[in-house]
């Protein structure tokens, strides 16, 4: 901290200059997180920025908007609630916090049942695919739960429901299914998982439930694939998380977790405080939290409605298809993503030697030559020998941008064809090594930190 103050204009200009080295948010195709909103919503966010959401008694209107969001999202996920009933759920800083809360609820419910049965309750486990986001590993580590991962395999990059059910035992607090894998955007087969797990539960007298991590796909599936059964229509799905700051179309900092019923959220996890002016419940890992993102989520829900969200998601899918088809026409790539999933394209080189480089070099050149942030990373355990590139088609990713990206990709491939494959160090690589802004170390450890 400097000893003396400086003029506010100078401080502003200094920080603004420092931030110029950041990538342009719209050209960051690594992230699922929203980077553009309407001016009216931006104004509402600025006007509510100084409100601490936790002060519910002082800001009852903001609390009401939060509760309306919970109810709308719960109904979007086909929760069984009456017209005048309130859903069970809460807003969070993002899906990571939402998953922590859902995991804690599963753990506490499992422990309570085991205690009532007079059985050991000290070794809980959770079953997921190896393709889960790193927040699941955090949950397991932070809250002392064994994480059992179903390995993926070449050609099948998500959790296999059959193998997942084989890993379940009486100590499994839940099976976590992913609606929109971070690695390739694919939806896991939650309906099949529910069917197989019901059979297993009936056979063994268990009650193993399902949590759906719909961080990326929760605002996609209801509008693009309304007939797909993945949510509370399936009896074993007890909780769902979704990121409002991804395809919920809000800036970073908002997630949601919804429970099927009140019984699925243990009451001992809900705390009641009275030192902010009135008694109020709280069930979050974080305490103080700004109101802006909650207001923004409500704005998007009522501004767009179901019709508007469907229109946005269709546009995202169309633009993802433009990128996919453009890449296919080059003849250089294998497409590892699915058409029916999160609007994104995951792809890998067919022949690395042909172009004198690999996916990491393509990622580097797209960034340094053309300004695009397109990450390269290895697939998870079981297919880690495969490296992929990923392009996420968000709402602000236009058709013109999609076409420009394909053109720039062709230029990169042309440049790589002129590079000596034996050349290990180029001027570009030296700059990358110094700046270390592409391919984070965490990606090399098979943890994709997406959005």
């Amino acid at each position: 901290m400097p000893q003396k103050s400086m003029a506010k204009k100078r401080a502003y200009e200094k920080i603004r200059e420092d931030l110029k080295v950041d990538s342009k948010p719209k050209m960051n195709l690594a992230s699922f997180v929203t980077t553009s909103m309407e001016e009216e919503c931006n104004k509402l966010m600025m006007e509510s920025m100084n409100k601490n959401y936790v002060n519910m008694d002082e800001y009852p209107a903001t609390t009401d908007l939060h509760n309306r969001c919970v109810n709308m999202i719960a109904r979007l996920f086909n929760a069984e609630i009456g017209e005048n009933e309130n859903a069970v759920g809460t807003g969070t800083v993002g899906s990571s916090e939402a998953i922590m809360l859902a995991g804690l609820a599963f753990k506490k419910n499992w422990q309570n049942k085991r205690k009532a049965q007079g059985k050991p309750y000290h070794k809980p486990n959770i079953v997921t695919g190896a393709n889960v986001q790193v927040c699941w590993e955090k949950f397991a580590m932070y809250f002392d739960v064994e994480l059992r991962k179903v390995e993926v395999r070449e050609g099948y990059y998500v959790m296999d429901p059959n193998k997942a059910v084989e890993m379940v035992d009486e100590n499994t607090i839940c099976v976590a299914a992913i609606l929109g894998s971070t690695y390739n955007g694919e939806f896991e087969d939650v309906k099949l998982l529910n069917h197989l797990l019901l059979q297993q539960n009936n056979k063994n007298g268990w009650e193993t439930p399902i949590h759906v991590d719909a961080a990326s796909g929760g605002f996609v599936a209801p509008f693009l694939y309304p007939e797909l059964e993945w949510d509370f229509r399936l009896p074993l799905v007890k909780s769902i998380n979704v990121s409002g700051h991804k395809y919920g179309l809000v800036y970073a900092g908002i997630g949601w977790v919804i429970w099927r019923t009140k019984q699925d959220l243990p009451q001992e996890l809900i705390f009641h405080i009275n030192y902010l002016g009135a008694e109020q419940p709280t069930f979050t890992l974080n305490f103080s939290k700004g109101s802006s993102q909650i207001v923004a989520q409500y704005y998007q829900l009522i501004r767009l409605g179901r019709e508007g969200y469907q229109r946005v998601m269709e546009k995202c899918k169309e633009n993802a298809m433009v990128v996919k088809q453009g890449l296919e026409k080059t003849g250089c790539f294998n497409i590892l993503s699915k058409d029916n999933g999160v609007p994104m394209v995951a792809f890998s080189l067919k022949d690395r030697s042909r172009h004198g480089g690999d996916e990491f070099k393509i990622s580097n050149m797209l960034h340094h030559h053309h300004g695009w942030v397109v990450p390269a990373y290895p697939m998870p355990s079981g297919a880690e020998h495969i490296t992929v590139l990923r392009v996420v088609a968000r709402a602000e990713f236009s058709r013109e941008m999609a076409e420009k990206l394909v053109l720039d990709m062709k230029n990169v491939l042309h440049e790589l064809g002129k590079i000596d494959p034996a050349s290990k160090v180029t001027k570009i690589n030296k700059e990358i090594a110094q700046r270390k802004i592409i391919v984070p170390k965490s990606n090399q450890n098979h943890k994709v930190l997406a959005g």
Side-chain angles (χ1 to χ4, degrees):
M1 181 182 289
Q3 290 294 327
K4 296 184 178 181
S5 305
M6 68 174 69
K8 58 185 179 183
K9 186 175 181 180
R10 182 186 170 197
Y12 169 80
E13 293 296 342
K14 175 177 171 53
I15 296 171
R16 191 167 183 266
E17 191 66 27
D18 289 342
L19 292 174
K20 285 183 178 180
V21 300
D22 281 350
S23 299
K24 294 179 180 179
K26 277 193 175 183
M27 297 184 75
N28 179 9
L29 306 183
S31 178
F32 294 85
V33 175
T34 299
T35 61
S36 179
M37 297 184 73
E38 293 176 330
E39 186 57 34
E40 289 78 6
C41 189
N42 290 335
K43 289 180 181 178
L44 284 170
M45 293 184 74
M46 289 300 298
E47 291 167 3
S48 57
M49 188 175 290
N50 60 351
K51 294 180 182 178
N52 186 358
Y53 171 71
V54 77
N55 294 109
M56 297 179 185
D57 193 54
E58 287 75 11
Y59 307 120
T62 303
T63 301
D64 188 46
L65 295 189
H66 167 276
N67 295 338
R68 292 183 200 176
C69 287
V70 168
N71 286 329
M72 282 190 270
I73 294 169
R75 288 184 169 87
L76 190 66
F77 296 164
N78 292 291
E80 296 177 356
I81 50 177
E83 185 177 344
N84 298 317
E85 287 184 277
N86 287 320
V88 183
T90 187
T92 60
V93 176
S95 274
S96 291
E97 183 187 7
I99 285 167
M100 303 286 172
L101 297 177
L104 285 171
F106 282 119
K107 183 180 179 182
K108 180 59 69 174
N109 273 332
W110 174 83
Q111 288 178 327
N112 288 344
K113 290 176 183 177
R114 298 286 289 183
K115 290 177 183 178
Q117 295 168 352
K119 297 180 179 179
Y121 55 90
H122 301 294
K123 294 184 178 181
N125 69 70
I126 195 166
V127 176
T128 71
N131 57 309
V132 292
Q133 214 258 9
V134 70
C135 60
W136 284 99
E137 297 182 50
K138 291 181 178 179
F139 167 75
M141 179 62 69
Y142 295 166
F143 298 108
D144 198 23
V145 176
E146 178 192 356
L147 186 63
R148 297 181 176 180
K149 291 184 180 181
V150 178
E151 287 196 347
V152 303
R153 59 184 183 273
E154 188 168 349
Y156 197 98
Y157 304 107
V158 293
M159 180 179 69
D160 184 333
N162 290 282
K163 293 184 178 180
V165 171
E166 290 174 2
M167 288 188 173
V168 171
D169 61 23
E170 63 180 351
N171 294 320
T172 303
I173 63 174
C174 82
V175 180
I178 313 298
L179 194 78
S181 171
T182 294
Y183 289 85
N184 72 340
E186 187 174 349
F187 293 162
E188 293 181 345
D189 194 339
V190 188
K191 185 176 182 179
L192 176 58
L193 175 65
N194 181 85
H195 173 71
L196 295 173
L197 201 51
L198 274 173
Q199 291 182 332
Q200 176 106 315
N201 286 346
N202 291 334
K203 177 182 177 182
N204 297 292
W206 299 339
E207 297 179 341
T208 309
I210 296 172
H211 173 85
V212 179
D213 179 358
S216 299
F219 278 107
V220 175
F223 304 108
L224 291 184
Y225 317 106
E227 301 305 316
L228 181 67
E229 294 181 34
W230 62 273
D231 52 19
F232 292 121
R233 285 170 288 184
L234 303 175
L236 291 182
V237 174
K238 302 300 182 181
S239 55
I240 301 172
N241 68 277
V242 65
S243 292
H245 58 222
K246 293 182 180 177
Y247 288 96
L249 308 179
V250 179
Y251 294 137
I254 184 68
W256 303 92
V257 57
I258 310 293
W259 283 273
R260 187 185 196 92
T261 67
K262 291 181 179 179
Q263 290 70 37
D264 297 310
L265 175 58
Q267 289 301 302
E268 58 261 48
L269 294 181
I270 302 175
F271 293 84
H272 295 267
I273 60 171
N274 58 12
Y275 45 76
L276 292 176
E279 183 169 314
Q280 60 190 53
T282 176
F283 177 44
T284 55
L285 296 181
N286 196 57
F287 192 63
S288 293
K289 178 172 63 178
S291 298
S292 297
Q293 265 69 15
I294 292 170
V295 172
Q297 183 72 84
Y298 185 70
Y299 174 89
Q300 293 290 52
L301 291 172
I302 66 167
R303 159 79 174 93
L304 294 173
R306 288 178 179 257
E307 176 190 39
Y309 268 94
Q310 181 175 342
R311 186 170 59 247
V312 170
M313 298 310 147
E314 288 174 347
K315 188 195 77 169
C316 290
K317 182 176 180 179
E318 289 170 5
N319 292 332
M321 290 302 101
V322 170
V323 174
K324 178 195 171 187
Q325 292 164 8
L327 294 173
E328 287 177 326
K329 288 178 181 178
T330 68
C332 298
F333 298 104
N334 291 314
I335 305 299
L336 279 66
S337 49
K338 303 292 185 182
D339 290 349
N340 295 336
V342 174
M344 61 170 280
V345 187
F347 53 102
S348 63
L349 281 169
K350 290 182 177 179
D351 184 0
R352 293 184 177 184
S353 62
R354 177 182 170 188
H355 298 288
D358 58 17
E359 289 82 2
F360 294 104
K361 187 171 289 186
I362 290 175
S363 174
N364 294 334
M365 293 180 71
L366 279 173
H367 184 74
H368 286 276
H369 292 192
H370 303 283
W372 299 105
V373 178
V374 177
Y377 50 87
M379 277 296 195
S381 177
E384 57 269 74
H385 60 287
I386 299 172
T387 302
V388 298
L389 293 149
R390 181 181 71 203
V391 171
V392 178
R394 302 190 304 273
E396 54 269 34
F397 183 67
S398 65
R399 185 183 182 93
E400 291 74 19
M401 292 176 70
E403 293 172 345
K404 178 66 165 59
L405 173 65
V406 171
L407 178 61
D408 290 341
M409 178 67 79
K410 290 178 180 178
N411 289 332
V412 165
L413 292 172
H414 179 71
E415 292 178 64
L416 282 172
K418 296 181 180 181
I419 294 176
D420 179 7
S423 174
K424 294 183 179 179
V425 181
T426 66
K427 182 178 179 181
I428 296 172
N429 288 336
K430 287 181 179 179
E431 292 176 1
I432 294 162
Q434 291 170 354
R435 294 180 66 183
K436 296 181 180 178
I437 59 174
I438 294 294
V439 192
K441 183 178 179 181
S442 57
N443 286 356
Q444 297 171 1
N445 290 335
H446 305 178
K447 297 180 178 66
V448 182
L449 306 178

